[in-house]
Amino acid sequence: MASLHDVARLAGVSKSTVSRVMNDEYGVKEATKVKVRRAVEQCGYVVNQVAKDLKSNKTNLIGIIVPRVTSNAVSQGVDGLSRVFEESGKQVLLANSCQQAGKELQYLELFNQKRVEGIVMFATHIDDELVKAIKRSGAPVVLIGQDGSSHNIPSVIHDDYRVGYCAAEQLHQAGCRNVGFLGVQSDDIAVDQMRFEGFCKALNYLGLPVPAFHTQGQFSIDSGREEMAQLLRDNNKPDGVFCATDRIAIGAIQAIAAAGLAPGKDIKVIGVGNDEMASVVSPGLSTFDYAFEPAGSNAAKMLLEIIEQGRSQVAKLVLGFDWVQRKSC
Amino acid sequence: MASLHDVARLAGVSKSTVSRVMNDEYGVKEATKVKVRRAVEQCGYVVNQVAKDLKSNKTNLIGIIVPRVTSNAVSQGVDGLSRVFEESGKQVLLANSCQQAGKELQYLELFNQKRVEGIVMFATHIDDELVKAIKRSGAPVVLIGQDGSSHNIPSVIHDDYRVGYCAAEQLHQAGCRNVGFLGVQSDDIAVDQMRFEGFCKALNYLGLPVPAFHTQGQFSIDSGREEMAQLLRDNNKPDGVFCATDRIAIGAIQAIAAAGLAPGKDIKVIGVGNDEMASVVSPGLSTFDYAFEPAGSNAAKMLLEIIEQGRSQVAKLVLGFDWVQRKSC
DNA sequence: TTGAAAGCGGTACCAA
DNA sequence: TTGGTACCGCTTTCAA
């Protein structure tokens, strides 16, 4: 591939002159410009950004780490992120950890070697190792989905505690008196712990008994269906179920219907996220609309501020949600 | 940020020696290694991959261009791509054109400046400008979703013609005699043209009349619903509808139900893709299961082959599909 | 208006 | 076993 040097030789000028022409710098004779441009055309010269990056010590690169792309939260978040970054002329390096723990740490390291200017991480959990790796990172890190602000890591999260609280209120208002929670693995603070805590708090406040159950499944329809079916088999018959995600809730609805009961009548169901599927399932799933795309764009803005100003005004951004009432509750 | 030079000074050795230690090269005294490692630790040295890339003239970078991430085809495809690339030690630069035509061309150029080793592009259409830009690209390009093989661009596509053909057969077999197609904009060869052509071909072969309609909407539930509602209002009452995508089909089902008709009985509906929503909607949507994730992983493998061998054995990979029968047809 | 040369942070060859 | 040096492709003084 042709370099500045090749172009210079072809045009019969020096590298410096070619560089000046390429960068539209002031002070090059028109005739020289023409010669250079012709030479560029002739050998199909494309500027080598790697060399420029090295020289300028600036890459315009942002690293993004995701557990997978096929999830509403992630894909909408990435759309939000990439829009903002590309508006500011940043390019995006994407790393997919495929949910393998430890991979994130490797990518953090790789990104630093590539001299990214900042990193956005969709976190599924936080542990000491991860916190240490983030502290060690030369490039600033912003977290999406889990709260790292107590470790002084800027984070964009959803109001998971309050969503749990509201879910309990909605179930109570719908007449439920015996409710439970279909959660996920307990090291997911945001999706399992916070939502459950808020849920329990509200129940307590409303004078309802503690949750009849708190299962720990996967993030899938199948998992929700199995968990719910198992509960019904165990004759643990609630009149309301709060599910950590919409997918789980849809599985629950299927299991309830399969057991000959009426979801939304015999057993109320509430999810979280407002996945497009929630509007399509029958009965329509009552859920909380989460701002996934804004989570991405806000995280991007925070990161840009940190990169440009050295620090961010906001240490933690908590996004609200909206109650979306349908037939399931 | 510390460089080799800093480490060398701190350890009291030369840059060459530090480089040797960092790369585990043979022939460094143990004591020296220890000194160097301590110095590395002390100043938190992280290798500068930009400099390495420049020197070695190799970036291990792959560019990916998508119209958006929030789509089943894209998000699953990206998951497939990134898995394969990361197994081969490649990193992924992601560019989101946000469906703005022309953006793809810019990214093609940017990627070449960044010296990516190859590019995967999720194409929504193909025109001369795009073909020219791809030809001009120094890095090899593989297309996903549209057939560029007639321009000698390696492509991974789905069997869109045959899916249209099969859809007609299924509708015919279900007893339909007056059918139509809910498509998308006509410059989308794969999703609109090919599927429609196959559809027409089969109708002709089966001795059915030509399609009663061929609308051109968007890739969304809302669009499908509106198109279908309009058709019903126009008293254009078919007994079967083939939809270019599952989302459109779900919209159609909603419109049919809203008109007081029974989707799957009065009017059969078929989609394409096997979106998770298809299993959730009521009645269940009969559709064709498309291999989106394999599209990504196969495109990645093709690109790697081109990068490593200089050329690919396969010029075009056509992925099959499976009929998924549910209640809507 | 143009060119020569140094330097960004590495690697690799040759000499010591 | 180690150090000196040239070079990857570009930018940026400084001098001509």
Side-chain angles (χ1 to χ4, degrees), chain A residues 132-143:
Chain A
K132 261 197 290 190
I134 292 175
K135 296 278 177 212
R136 215 182 309 120
S137 167
V141 176
V142 170
L143 244 39

Side-chain angles (χ1 to χ4, degrees), chain A residues 53 79 96 114 247 276, chain B residues 53 79 96 114 247 276:
Chain A
D53 288 353
D79 264 344
N96 191 336
K114 276 280 187 190
R247 292 178 122 83
E276 204 169 8
Chain B
D53 288 354
D79 264 343
N96 192 335
K114 277 278 187 191
R247 291 177 124 83
E276 204 171 6

Side-chain angles (χ1 to χ4, degrees), chain A residues 23-255:
Chain A
N23 296 297
D24 280 321
E25 274 172 37
Y26 171 79
V28 182
K29 222 194 326 183
E30 194 54 41
T32 315
K33 280 190 195 169
V34 173
K35 270 198 301 189
V36 170
R37 295 235 175 78
R38 198 160 35 216
V40 164
E41 202 62 33
Q42 198 178 328
C43 63
Y45 170 72
V46 175
V47 63
N48 186 330
Q49 192 65 47
V50 180
K52 271 183 111 143
D53 288 353
L54 174 60
K55 176 69 183 174
S56 65
N57 198 25
K58 185 155 181 14
T59 57
N60 283 314
L61 223 49
I62 302 286
I64 299 188
I65 302 177
V66 301
R68 57 173 140 35
V69 185
T70 46
S71 121
N72 260 280
V74 174
S75 61
Q76 291 182 46
V78 170
D79 264 344
L81 285 169
S82 56
R83 195 173 38 73
V84 173
F85 284 132
E86 284 158 16
E87 277 166 12
S88 337
K90 306 294 183 193
Q91 291 189 65
V92 166
L93 258 180
L94 181 78
N96 191 336
S97 72
C98 300
Q99 311 181 69
Q100 294 161 55
K103 276 270 182 191
E104 304 108 320
L105 306 182
Q106 284 178 38
Y107 289 127
L108 236 27
E109 172 79 12
L110 271 180
F111 281 169
N112 273 288
Q113 295 179 358
K114 276 280 187 190
R115 293 297 189 265
V116 300
E117 298 177 358
I119 298 171
V120 177
M121 185 161 172
F122 286 80
T124 54
H125 68 283
I126 296 191
D127 55 26
D128 279 359
E129 218 180 355
L130 181 60
V131 171
K132 261 197 290 190
I134 292 175
K135 296 278 177 212
R136 215 182 309 120
S137 167
V141 176
V142 170
L143 244 39
I144 295 185
Q146 301 281 345
D147 188 358
S149 61
S150 63
H151 302 285
N152 202 26
I153 305 168
S155 309
V156 174
I157 56 173
H158 304 275
D159 203 346
D160 294 299
Y161 181 89
R162 199 165 63 84
V163 97
Y165 199 101
C166 290
E169 288 182 328
Q170 291 293 345
L171 288 171
H172 176 256
Q173 199 177 316
C176 302
R177 292 300 175 264
N178 176 30
V179 300
F181 180 60
L182 296 187
V184 297
Q185 77 280 3
S186 60
D187 67 345
D188 193 325
I189 310 287
V191 179
D192 191 83
Q193 284 193 40
M194 297 301 288
R195 294 179 194 178
F196 185 62
E197 271 179 35
F199 189 62
C200 292
K201 182 71 177 182
L203 290 182
N204 180 265
Y205 182 78
L206 295 163
L208 291 183
V210 293
F213 50 84
H214 174 185
T215 64
Q216 322 243 161
Q218 318 295 130
F219 285 79
S220 70
I221 295 180
D222 288 348
S223 174
R225 188 172 44 233
E226 281 162 27
E227 301 275 344
M228 191 72 224
Q230 185 62 45
L231 286 167
L232 294 172
R233 269 199 300 280
D234 293 352
N235 215 8
N236 193 337
K237 184 103 159 302
D239 53 10
V241 189
F242 173 44
C243 303
T245 76
D246 281 352
R247 292 178 122 83
I248 293 172
I250 286 168
I253 284 178
Q254 292 177 347

Side-chain angles (χ1 to χ4, degrees), chain A residues 1-2 45-51 53-54 57-61 66-72 74-79 82-83 86 91-98 103 107 109-115 138 220-221 247 250 254 275-277 279-282, chain B residues 1-2 45-51 53-54 57-61 66-72 74-79 82-83 86 91-98 103 107 109-115 138 220-221 247 250 254 275-277 279-282:
Chain A
M1 180 146 272
Y45 170 72
V46 175
V47 63
N48 186 330
Q49 192 65 47
V50 180
D53 288 353
L54 174 60
N57 198 25
K58 185 155 181 14
T59 57
N60 283 314
L61 223 49
V66 301
R68 57 173 140 35
V69 185
T70 46
S71 121
N72 260 280
V74 174
S75 61
Q76 291 182 46
V78 170
D79 264 344
S82 56
R83 195 173 38 73
E86 284 158 16
Q91 291 189 65
V92 166
L93 258 180
L94 181 78
N96 191 336
S97 72
C98 300
K103 276 270 182 191
Y107 289 127
E109 172 79 12
L110 271 180
F111 281 169
N112 273 288
Q113 295 179 358
K114 276 280 187 190
R115 293 297 189 265
S220 70
I221 295 180
R247 292 178 122 83
I250 286 168
Q254 292 177 347
D275 192 299
E276 204 169 8
M277 276 191 285
S279 69
V280 154
V281 70
S282 224
Chain B
M1 182 146 269
Y45 170 72
V46 176
V47 64
N48 186 331
Q49 192 66 46
V50 181
D53 288 354
L54 174 62
N57 198 24
K58 187 161 184 359
T59 57
N60 283 313
L61 223 48
V66 301
R68 58 176 141 38
V69 185
T70 46
S71 122
N72 260 280
V74 174
S75 61
Q76 290 181 46
V78 171
D79 264 343
S82 56
R83 196 172 39 72
E86 283 159 15
Q91 291 187 64
V92 167
L93 256 181
L94 181 78
N96 192 335
S97 72
C98 301
K103 276 269 181 190
Y107 289 127
E109 172 79 11
L110 271 180
F111 281 169
N112 274 287
Q113 294 179 356
K114 277 278 187 191
R115 293 298 190 265
S220 69
I221 294 179
R247 291 177 124 83
I250 286 169
Q254 293 177 349
D275 191 299
E276 204 171 6
M277 277 190 286
S279 69
V280 155
V281 71
S282 222

